Amino acid sequence: MYGSWAGPLPRVRRLRAEDWSLLRKVRLEMLTDTPMAYVESLEAARRQTDPQWQERTAAMAGDSSVTLVADGGVDGSPFCGLMRVVLKHPQDPKKPLQAMLISVYVAPEHRGLGLADELLHQACEAARIDLGAELLELGVHEDNTRALAFYRRHGFSTTGDSRPYPQDTSKQELVMEKVLKQ
């Protein structure tokens, strides 16, 4: 289900290795729109060469990672959103297999329409089915009440753990997790 979307449902699909130019475009948009949300800087992303973007995209489409992109449904259509899950390494063999949710982004014109809900649903399914994860973790800036509420609505809870926020170590990133139904 895709919330209150009034138009055609954006296609949610896996990022493919050949989508490297799309990934570059999207990543630059993400870093321009919400620079404090990502560890990478816009300047660092702009310095990446075509072969580096190709390598990066191939890794994001690899066996221990699922990257979902949403677009208008046909090649070349406008980008709408992105969500990525990766296996968490190293894994403690005594604990359930864990994945991390990273690179969450919905383009401004698609926010509030339910696309984030759909991307998150599919990311949880990909983590569970494709990566075999039993637990999905993410970090949320301590002051981002909207994100905290969004993830709580989707079954995530805070673990009590936190870590310094990479872009401003005077702030904390709260660790949240969700048990994925097997």
Side-chain angles (χ1 to χ4, degrees):
M1 168 106 183
Y2 185 56
S4 60
W5 183 258
L9 177 68
R11 170 181 65 167
V12 176
R13 63 179 177 83
R14 282 184 167 208
L15 183 77
R16 303 173 308 241
E18 60 268 20
D19 291 327
W20 67 270
S21 60
L22 171 65
L23 179 64
R24 175 178 52 202
K25 178 181 180 244
V26 170
R27 189 66 176 176
L28 294 176
E29 178 181 320
M30 292 164 67
L31 292 167
T32 299
D33 182 47
T34 53
M36 287 296 289
Y38 308 102
V39 175
E40 178 180 35
S41 72
L42 178 59
E43 294 75 28
R46 284 184 174 150
R47 285 192 302 268
Q48 299 272 304
T49 64
D50 287 356
Q52 288 171 316
W53 281 107
Q54 291 166 354
E55 183 178 314
R56 186 175 184 169
T57 307
M60 289 176 72
D63 293 339
S64 63
S65 171
V66 174
T67 304
L68 302 171
V69 293
D71 58 27
V74 296
D75 289 341
S77 59
F79 165 78
C80 305
L82 177 138
M83 204 167 280
R84 181 175 182 215
V85 291
V86 297
L87 282 177
K88 189 174 174 183
H89 293 287
Q91 293 286 331
D92 181 343
K94 298 177 203 134
K95 292 185 178 181
L97 190 61
Q98 294 183 351
M100 290 190 70
L101 181 65
I102 57 175
S103 295
V104 175
Y105 183 72
V106 174
E109 64 273 15
H110 297 280
R111 292 178 187 157
L113 302 172
L115 179 57
D117 298 311
E118 182 62 23
L119 280 165
L120 182 59
H121 170 74
Q122 290 195 35
C124 288
E125 288 297 297
R128 182 180 65 82
I129 295 168
D130 301 331
L131 301 178
E134 298 175 52
L135 210 67
L136 186 58
E137 179 185 294
L138 65 119
V140 178
H141 189 286
E142 65 183 326
D143 295 335
N144 193 340
T145 57
R146 277 187 24 208
L148 289 166
F150 172 78
Y151 290 114
R152 282 188 181 113
R153 280 195 311 273
H154 289 279
F156 286 81
S157 57
T158 52
T159 65
D161 292 336
S162 64
R163 52 192 168 236
Y165 189 67
Q167 297 85 345
D168 178 0
T169 56
S170 71
K171 295 290 187 171
Q172 293 293 300
E173 186 175 65
L174 305 179
V175 178
M176 299 185 82
E177 66 182 18
K178 177 179 181 171
V179 174
L180 302 174
K181 304 278 189 253
Q182 293 298 326

